[in-house]
Amino acid sequence: QLGYSEVGVDDNWQYCMQEPNNYFHSDKAPYGWPVVDLERFPDLTALVEYAHSRDVRIGWYLNNCICAEHDAYPANEVNDVSFLRQYDFDAIKLDGCSTSHNISN
């Protein structure tokens, strides 16, 4: 039987605030939480449950706002990971786009 065992939600999930500089957190680190575009992703719990009900692991792209968030804004990994854990995501993806590079915090 062929099929997927893992999928990942990539970029464009964020609600990118135009000011300041496409920031996508409710407040600056270390206090802010990611702000999800609810038109695209109205129910993260249902999304994860759907994947898990089909024995598929689901990951989430954690950093930047469509590669437009500027380095002037601090990374917020601790709250980002806590946010994703509450929905039971299985993995995260980080890349060199934006300030989140270190998940050892």
Side-chain angles (χ1 to χ4, degrees), residues 9-18 23-26 33-44 47 60-61 64-66 83-84 87:
V9 176
D10 211 321
D11 209 350
N12 223 1
W13 60 265
Q14 311 90 329
Y15 178 74
C16 301
M17 295 168 243
Q18 295 304 308
Y23 200 60
F24 69 95
H25 289 84
S26 61
W33 291 84
V35 179
V36 176
D37 184 335
L38 294 176
E39 287 186 29
R40 290 189 174 122
F41 295 94
D43 190 343
L44 294 182
L47 176 68
W60 192 257
Y61 183 60
N64 88 63
C65 204
I66 313 165
F83 173 81
L84 294 176
Y87 294 103

Side-chain angles (χ1 to χ4, degrees), residues 31-95:
Y31 309 107
W33 291 84
V35 179
V36 176
D37 184 335
L38 294 176
E39 287 186 29
R40 290 189 174 122
F41 295 94
D43 190 343
L44 294 182
T45 299
L47 176 68
V48 172
E49 287 175 353
Y50 180 83
H52 288 167
S53 73
R54 284 150 179 79
D55 294 323
V56 174
R57 291 172 36 92
I58 185 166
W60 192 257
Y61 183 60
L62 194 55
N63 60 333
N64 88 63
C65 204
I66 313 165
C67 224
E69 188 178 63
H70 299 286
D71 288 337
Y73 294 92
N76 203 354
E77 295 95 351
V78 173
N79 281 356
D80 291 348
V81 170
S82 294
F83 173 81
L84 294 176
R85 290 200 63 188
Q86 73 182 350
Y87 294 103
D88 203 23
F89 279 90
D90 301 299
I92 61 170
K93 171 189 168 186
L94 293 175
D95 62 17

